[in-house]
Amino acid sequence: MKVSAVFKVRSPEIRALHLTWIAFFITFYVWFNMAPLASSMLKSVDWLTRDDIRLFAIANVALTIPARIIVGMALDRFGPRRVFSVLMVSMSIPALVFAFGNTMSQLLVSRLVLSSIGASFVVGIHMTALWFKPKDIGFAEGFYAGWGNFGSAAAAMTLPTIAITMFGGEDGWRWAIAQSAIVMAAYGVYYWFAITDGPDARAHRKPRKAMAMEVSTWGDMIKLIIWTIPLVGCLGILVWRIQNMGYMSVTAAVICYLIIVAVIIYQVVQILRVNVPILKKGVPEDDKYPFSSVAALNSTYFANFGAELAVVSMLPMFFEETWGLNAATAGMIAASFAFVNLVARPMGGLVSDRMGNRRFVMLSYMFGIGIGFVMMGLLNSSWPLVIAIAITIFTSFFVQGAEGATFGIIPSIKRRITGQISGMAGAYGNVGAVVYLTIFTFVTPTQFFYIIAGGAFLSWLICLIWLKEPEGAFDEEYYVSSVDRMIEEQELAKTQAKPQQG
């Protein structure tokens, strides 16, 4: 697939790509619609404090992790068209409640529920995988994610202007947020009718069970349990932070910890319920896949997307304090880290497509991230500012290229459970952000850069040992196993039986 292909909008798959990245763009625009209007909120609402805003920021990512897991399961069962449309329409409700909320509880609860919209990323990943062939999937996924992620930057650039010039007054921020929510709901309805789950009905292959990921061996089941625990356990860090900020009593925190433990136990039980019968019966050789590759990609997204979210949060202050810049200039320079997304992420996928070895590309990008953050750790006020900016862009290029390369591999691991694998890897990106941002509260920026460089090198080592080159990663069509064919025949039999029953 050539870069110029994205302009061929009459092509069904290119049209699907554009429809899907726009949906992703809008959801991220809504997800990040609070931060650029935070100062307006403080001026407009006299009982809000800066600590309240910080609490809302935590709430804004709290449920993203479990939502990505749940949505990943829903994708494999219901298909991305339905899930994306329902997600956009339903999440417009908490966005509107937040826009016009007049109590602390209304704002906090609505922002907490709205954090689920971060799951939109994995929905589009699955939809894109249904439309594009294995040999083109890297660039297609990178283009989707790069332009969709830009929604957060677009919100920062446009919402303050919309609030001031289009609506104005003390409640201008409310109407600006409400407008974004209404646009998202309208696009959700349009998306339902404008797209299908792949070019034909056979593109969307369902797993046998959607409650937990299928594995191929007893050892893989143990690995799946081990890698599942941090996904929900990570929420304990958020509870600890909220309690430390004084918004939660010890009793409430203990209740939250018990709920987290209960959810983990429930997930482990589901893994056992789904996989024990399958493993006892035996998995055909042609249906097996290496869960170690999933684990390796979990680690890469932890190290690249987690680092991106964390660095974007601290970079403006780093430039401001290190080189004595004003806030506006530091913000513009720091924004270069996100702007690179538009090019670097599609390029990461494109390189993954062209090199003929997706594993080698993944390893190269992760090593580049490590080198980049080590160089950023060396920066101080004695370095020329222009060199610091160049190093920042260099690092961002590898970080976001690695994100593209990660999702260039995922659709080829196991087609039938792409949604679940995407959801798990995507959730690990948020786990990385929570872990890195928590660590940042205890260390200096220099130490922080070295720590995330260490995370990248550790992920590189994990990939070196565990990541395998997917079979058929550059074929014209996705690999179909005997179990895939059996499930397809069962689905077809059910469809044919329905009219007779009626």
Side-chain angles (χ1 to χ4, degrees):
M1 179 178 177
K2 295 180 179 177
V3 177
S4 59
V6 298
F7 298 106
K8 298 177 180 176
V9 293
R10 292 185 178 180
S11 169
E13 63 268 25
I14 297 300
R15 181 173 178 272
L17 178 62
H18 288 307
L19 286 172
T20 303
W21 79 253
I22 291 171
F24 178 33
F25 176 94
I26 293 173
T27 56
F28 265 46
Y29 189 97
V30 173
W31 190 17
F32 293 97
N33 62 13
M34 184 194 73
L37 298 171
S39 57
S40 300
M41 291 173 63
L42 289 172
K43 291 176 185 174
S44 168
V45 184
D46 54 8
W47 46 266
L48 268 184
T49 66
R50 291 188 177 277
D51 281 344
D52 294 335
I53 296 293
R54 279 195 280 269
L55 176 64
F56 296 157
I58 295 173
N60 203 39
V61 297
L63 296 185
T64 308
I65 297 170
R68 286 189 167 183
I69 302 167
I70 295 169
V71 165
M73 295 174 182
L75 281 173
D76 290 328
R77 184 174 181 83
F78 301 109
R81 177 182 67 95
R82 295 175 181 173
V83 174
F84 222 154
S85 294
V86 170
L87 190 67
M88 283 189 278
V89 173
S90 62
M91 285 299 108
S92 67
I93 297 172
L96 287 169
V97 172
F98 185 82
F100 299 112
N102 282 315
T103 67
M104 182 68 181
S105 297
Q106 288 173 354
L107 296 181
L108 178 59
V109 172
S110 58
R111 190 47 66 170
L112 193 63
V113 175
L114 184 59
S115 65
S116 303
I117 202 173
S120 61
F121 167 69
V122 298
V123 187
I125 285 291
H126 191 59
M127 177 62 92
T128 307
L130 294 181
W131 276 97
F132 285 85
K133 299 179 187 303
K135 63 187 181 65
D136 298 325
I137 194 63
F139 176 71
E141 299 282 23
F143 185 87
Y144 155 79
W147 283 81
N149 266 316
F150 189 63
S152 58
M157 291 188 292
T158 59
L159 278 173
T161 304
I162 291 173
I164 294 171
T165 61
M166 186 177 293
F167 298 108
E170 288 188 351
D171 289 338
W173 67 271
R174 293 182 184 275
W175 289 105
I177 289 176
Q179 178 186 259
S180 66
I182 292 169
V183 169
M184 180 173 70
Y187 194 83
V189 174
Y190 171 71
Y191 193 79
W192 179 284
F193 296 103
I195 198 168
T196 57
D197 289 331
D200 56 54
R202 299 178 61 186
H204 178 223
R205 296 183 181 280
K206 297 180 179 180
R208 285 178 286 200
K209 301 285 184 182
M211 295 304 295
M213 190 182 298
E214 297 172 26
V215 293
S216 305
T217 66
W218 295 102
D220 282 353
M221 188 176 73
I222 293 171
K223 291 176 187 173
L224 173 60
I225 291 172
I226 292 172
W227 281 85
T228 297
I229 292 172
L231 289 175
V232 180
C234 176
L235 295 177
I237 297 175
L238 295 174
V239 173
W240 171 73
R241 284 181 69 184
I242 293 172
Q243 186 199 349
N244 268 14
M245 291 172 68
Y247 288 96
M248 185 181 288
S249 66
V250 173
T251 304
V254 170
I255 292 172
C256 289
Y257 291 135
L258 290 175
I259 292 173
I260 291 170
V261 171
V263 172
I264 291 173
I265 292 172
Y266 173 79
Q267 286 192 311
V268 172
V269 170
Q270 291 303 319
I271 291 171
L272 296 174
R273 286 182 63 188
V274 168
N275 285 291
V276 168
I278 293 174
L279 294 174
K280 278 186 175 178
K281 186 178 179 182
V283 179
E285 282 299 320
D286 70 334
D287 195 52
K288 289 182 177 178
Y289 76 97
F291 179 80
S292 296
S293 289
V294 179
L297 295 175
N298 289 342
S299 79
T300 63
Y301 218 59
F302 178 105
N304 54 49
F305 188 67
E308 179 188 347
L309 289 185
V311 168
V312 166
S313 301
M314 53 77 67
L315 206 55
M317 189 176 292
F318 172 71
F319 274 101
E320 188 177 346
E321 294 180 349
T322 305
W323 282 274
L325 305 175
N326 61 48
T329 305
M332 287 295 291
I333 293 173
S336 63
F337 198 92
F339 266 96
V340 175
N341 218 343
L342 289 176
V343 176
R345 191 148 179 163
M347 186 172 291
L350 188 65
V351 172
S352 181
D353 290 342
R354 295 286 174 82
M355 287 292 291
N357 189 325
R358 298 191 190 278
R359 179 176 178 273
F360 173 77
V361 172
M362 191 76 257
L363 287 168
S364 301
Y365 269 116
M366 293 311 298
F367 196 79
I369 292 175
I371 297 295
F373 280 127
V374 166
M375 292 169 67
M376 290 185 73
L378 296 172
L379 294 175
N380 56 51
S381 58
S382 66
W383 286 65
L385 182 58
V386 66
I387 300 296
I389 295 172
I391 290 175
T392 300
I393 293 174
F394 169 85
T395 307
S396 177
F397 178 85
F398 278 95
V399 168
Q400 293 170 66
E403 293 168 8
T406 299
F407 281 89
I409 296 176
I410 283 176
S412 300
I413 292 180
K414 190 65 182 171
R415 177 70 162 175
R416 194 169 69 240
I417 54 172
T418 296
Q420 292 174 345
I421 298 174
S422 299
M424 190 174 201
Y428 258 97
N430 283 73
V431 173
V434 171
V435 171
Y436 282 147
L437 283 171
T438 304
I439 291 174
F440 181 62
T441 60
F442 299 105
V443 300
T444 66
T446 297
Q447 293 170 330
F448 181 65
F449 288 133
Y450 288 143
I451 288 170
I452 52 181
F457 285 130
L458 179 60
S459 174
W460 177 86
L461 184 61
I462 291 173
C463 287
L464 184 68
I465 299 171
W466 282 352
L467 183 63
K468 300 184 185 311
E469 181 71 19
E471 290 183 25
F474 300 94
D475 290 350
E476 285 289 335
E477 300 296 341
Y478 288 96
Y479 176 75
V480 178
S481 70
S482 57
V483 175
D484 291 327
R485 289 192 291 273
M486 179 193 71
I487 294 173
E488 186 178 332
E489 289 168 2
Q490 289 173 346
E491 290 293 324
L492 182 62
K494 285 181 185 176
T495 305
Q496 293 173 340
K498 281 182 181 177
Q500 295 171 7
Q501 291 171 355

